[in-house]
Amino acid sequence: MLARRRMQRVGFLMVLPLLAVLLGLTMYPFGYMVYMSFFRYSLASWEQPQFIGFSNYLDIFRDRTATSSVSFTLLILAVAVPLEMLLGLGVAFLLRDTFGERVFRSVLLIPMMVPAVVAGIAWKMLYNFEFGPVNYFLSLLGIPKISWLGTQFFSRLGVILIDVWQWTPFVFLVLYAGLQSLPRDVVEASFVDGASGFSAFRYIEFPLLRPLLFVVLIIRVIDALKIFDIVYMVTFGGPGSSTHSYSFYIYKVGVSFGWDIGYASALSVLLLLAVSLLVNLLIRMLRLRETLEL
């Protein structure tokens, strides 16, 4: 007993330096961010930080650009994420046990492996009004040229399409692996009993995949709320502020133009709270569904 306690104490002492570094690199910046969110502190001025309480948080609700960035982020969450889930699940189901499965699987994973900077530059050229391939192929169908990056509707649609293109392969990969791991004997038994492929998927495979679907959904929700790279590379928030995502607006306020550390900290704290509440809500929904099924 004494030897076990001594070994545990030695192990804790050996881990303690790494734990201290980890806490210093994570907890201290987080605590300092929360602390600075109650101050007026701009690096563009020579003034000392001034305590203003919850004024930064109240200013968020009066800031039109902040509310616009929230609406655009929620639009991505409401449109892009469901599309990615449906397309990923559909492709995983259709591609399973098909001829050339490995080749198609490798090709489908290419968008996920392309760095965001490269993807952003490529899509910016694809969306070019005069010489972009997208408008060229649309012209072959008799559709006039579209200003993909010049109008609010099409610029938002363009960002959503890029997000779907980039992250549908991730959903496909996870769900494809889940389908491959399902017990085949149960599905084959349903075929013997006269079930069709769709019925077997609906009543057997889909319920078994549901926990994995929730996990993928949670991951994609978190990523969608933090979307930054595509907006930065393709539209830079334009035209105007129509494609400002919430994370991109935090970057503009705190780093790019504003240098307003206090206000950017308040925006970041609200983003963290929103992500935490939404993820906890999804987890509770999953647990509630599991409880009802039991």
Side-chain angles (χ1 to χ4, degrees):
M1 190 69 178
L2 292 176
R4 179 180 300 177
R5 290 182 178 178
R6 185 177 301 174
M7 289 295 295
Q8 291 177 350
R9 191 176 304 169
V10 171
F12 177 75
L13 291 175
M14 294 180 68
V15 175
L16 186 60
L18 180 60
L19 183 62
V21 172
L22 181 63
L23 292 176
L25 294 176
T26 55
M27 298 306 297
Y28 174 75
F30 171 73
Y32 186 73
M33 179 188 70
V34 176
Y35 173 75
M36 291 308 303
S37 67
F38 298 103
F39 285 80
R40 179 182 290 113
Y41 181 37
S42 176
L43 297 179
S45 65
W46 294 93
E47 298 178 358
Q48 294 294 323
Q50 298 178 1
F51 180 78
I52 56 174
F54 289 93
S55 295
N56 284 326
Y57 292 94
L58 296 177
D59 289 342
I60 295 174
F61 299 97
R62 296 190 289 263
D63 187 348
R64 291 186 178 181
T65 308
T67 55
S68 175
S69 64
V70 170
S71 66
F72 178 56
T73 305
L74 292 178
L75 180 65
I76 294 175
L77 190 65
V79 177
V81 175
L83 277 176
E84 292 161 6
M85 297 296 295
L86 290 174
L87 290 175
L89 179 61
V91 173
F93 180 70
L94 293 174
L95 193 62
R96 183 184 55 176
D97 299 331
T98 59
F99 178 76
E101 178 181 354
R102 294 183 179 180
V103 176
F104 289 120
R105 184 177 60 199
S106 302
V107 171
L108 288 172
L109 295 182
I110 291 177
M112 189 177 64
M113 297 185 289
V114 175
V117 175
V118 178
I121 295 174
W123 276 98
K124 197 167 186 178
M125 291 189 293
L126 289 172
Y127 283 149
N128 185 275
F129 180 77
E130 292 292 340
F131 309 106
V134 175
N135 278 341
Y136 171 75
F137 286 111
L138 289 177
S139 66
L140 297 179
L141 301 175
I143 301 175
K145 292 182 179 180
I146 296 174
S147 179
W148 287 97
L149 304 180
T151 60
Q152 176 176 328
F153 175 79
F154 285 108
S155 59
R156 289 187 168 188
L157 177 62
V159 173
I160 291 173
L161 291 177
I162 297 172
D163 191 75
V164 172
W165 168 83
Q166 187 174 31
W167 290 109
T168 297
F170 168 76
V171 179
F172 155 74
L173 180 63
V174 178
L175 297 182
Y176 177 81
L179 283 173
Q180 294 294 98
S181 64
L182 294 181
R184 298 295 300 172
D185 53 348
V186 179
V187 179
E188 291 173 357
S190 67
F191 291 151
V192 173
D193 292 337
S196 62
F198 178 76
S199 298
F201 174 76
R202 180 181 178 183
Y203 295 107
I204 298 176
E205 294 178 318
F206 185 77
L208 294 174
L209 277 178
R210 192 175 292 143
L212 188 59
L213 280 167
F214 267 92
V215 173
V216 177
L217 178 62
I218 290 172
I219 295 174
R220 285 302 305 133
V221 165
I222 295 174
D223 285 338
L225 290 174
K226 299 187 302 178
I227 184 172
F228 170 81
D229 44 12
I230 292 299
V231 173
Y232 180 86
M233 293 303 304
V234 179
T235 65
F236 204 75
S241 59
S242 57
T243 57
H244 273 61
S245 66
Y246 195 79
S247 296
F248 180 77
Y249 186 57
I250 294 174
Y251 161 78
K252 288 190 68 174
V253 170
V255 178
S256 179
F257 295 105
W259 297 99
D260 192 342
I261 302 301
Y263 189 48
S265 298
L267 289 167
S268 302
V269 171
L270 281 186
L271 176 61
L272 177 63
L273 291 176
V275 172
S276 301
L277 290 175
L278 193 54
V279 170
N280 285 326
L281 178 62
L282 290 173
I283 293 175
R284 289 179 180 272
M285 289 174 58
L286 175 60
R287 291 177 178 174
L288 178 62
R289 180 180 291 274
E290 291 177 349
T291 302
L292 292 176
E293 289 178 351
L294 292 176

